[in-house]
Amino acid sequence: MSSRTEEEKIGSDPVSLRKCMERELDPKRYEHTLGVAFTAAALAMRYGADMKKAQIAGLLHDCAKNLSSEKQLRICSKHSIAINAAEQKNPSLLHAKVGSFLAWHKYGIEDREILDAITWHTTGKPEMRLMDKILYVADYIEPGRNQAPNLPQARKLAFEDLDECLFLILRDTLTYLSASKTEIDPMTQQTYEYYRAEREKGGRP
Ligand code: DGI
Ligand code: FE
Ligand code: FE
């Protein structure tokens, strides 16, 4: 990892970050990353969030994705990053926490909104803030995605009603995870239940 002063410059500049990610990620993951960054910026425009922060969060959200599980586990142990049982069993969940750490440590991002959005981009969490929701939704609907169910509906809804779109994605993700019998992170379950209750409070069936 290079020195912090150089990284601080990188951190505030989406163009340099894009170049870093092009080097760091495989071509498919890099394309996905660009898609998430542009989609997050568009959602930020729509909902009055900071476009530059949304772009940076999008560019860095999967920055740990190409590191091996062993390497990610080593980073966690070296820097005292707590790992839960689900992450232990399924280290592919770890790239969110590790990515947030690297965004700070390696790329010099100090903005909490960006770092939190990266931390929660895979599982979500109850009481997400606007930037968390924007990144979570952008990750799912970016133009390169083609496998998830209800994508056309999610894409339209994202620009009409962000919370309703968030709920649709949480519901479909949980359905998918339950069917595929993979370990469900308690945070994924809690997030779904929290937003289902919020939605019911708002009078939706
Ligand atoms: O990194 P990406 O592929 O762009 O997407 P992501 O960060 O949402 O993570 C990839 C997968 O993680 C996605 O298919 C949904 C899945 N996921 C979300 N919550 C959980 C989960 N996988 C498991 N095993 N358990 C979860 O609770
Ligand atoms: Fe991810
Ligand atoms: Fe992603």
Side-chain angles (χ1 to χ4, degrees):
M1 287 173 198
S2 51
S3 78
R4 178 49 86 76
T5 42
E6 184 192 319
E7 289 148 14
E8 251 151 23
K9 278 186 241 144
I10 294 171
S12 60
D13 172 17
V15 177
S16 315
L17 278 179
R18 217 175 289 149
K19 288 185 185 136
C20 287
M21 289 305 109
E22 190 172 15
R23 279 197 301 271
E24 187 68 25
L25 302 172
D26 68 64
K28 267 182 92 172
R29 183 60 51 183
Y30 178 61
E31 279 306 306
H32 163 70
T33 291
L34 293 183
V36 175
F38 289 130
T39 306
L43 288 170
M45 277 181 215
R46 163 68 179 88
Y47 292 104
D50 186 314
M51 284 188 295
K52 192 172 170 196
K53 286 190 194 183
Q55 254 182 297
I56 293 173
L59 286 171
L60 287 174
H61 83 286
D62 277 341
C63 71
K65 193 88 179 182
N66 277 29
L67 303 178
S68 66
S69 300
E70 292 72 27
K71 173 98 187 169
Q72 293 189 54
L73 288 163
R74 272 205 305 281
I75 292 175
C76 289
S77 124
K78 180 166 174 204
H79 297 281
S80 310
I81 300 169
I83 297 172
N84 68 30
E87 291 161 340
Q88 192 80 51
K89 278 200 196 146
N90 184 358
S92 69
L93 289 166
L94 270 182
H95 76 281
K97 275 184 185 173
V98 175
S100 179
F101 171 75
L102 292 178
W104 171 71
H105 189 263
K106 183 173 175 185
Y107 300 106
I109 304 297
E110 299 202 322
D111 184 87
R112 274 262 52 104
E113 262 185 275
I114 298 175
L115 298 176
D116 286 349
I118 298 174
T119 299
W120 303 112
H121 87 265
T122 302
T123 61
K125 68 166 182 131
E127 296 183 27
M128 279 191 258
R129 292 191 302 180
L130 180 56
M131 194 59 72
D132 304 328
K133 293 176 185 174
I134 284 176
L135 184 59
Y136 186 89
V137 168
D139 192 21
Y140 196 87
I141 66 165
E142 65 94 2
R145 290 263 196 226
N146 54 18
Q147 298 211 312
N150 301 319
L151 263 177
Q153 191 193 349
R155 285 178 171 138
K156 187 159 185 284
L157 205 49
F159 292 88
E160 292 169 357
D161 185 335
L162 191 63
D163 282 327
E164 199 51 21
C165 180
L166 179 69
F167 178 73
L168 177 83
I169 296 174
L170 287 165
R171 190 197 62 193
D172 286 350
T173 299
L174 219 60
T175 305
Y176 164 79
L177 291 170
S178 308
S180 63
K181 307 248 182 315
T182 41
E183 187 77 6
I184 295 177
D185 190 310
M187 193 54 89
T188 305
Q189 185 78 39
Q190 275 174 40
T191 307
Y192 168 71
E193 275 159 22
Y194 175 86
Y195 282 102
R196 189 182 58 187
E198 283 297 294
R199 197 167 169 271
E200 276 167 19
K201 271 193 239 162
R204 292 196 198 247

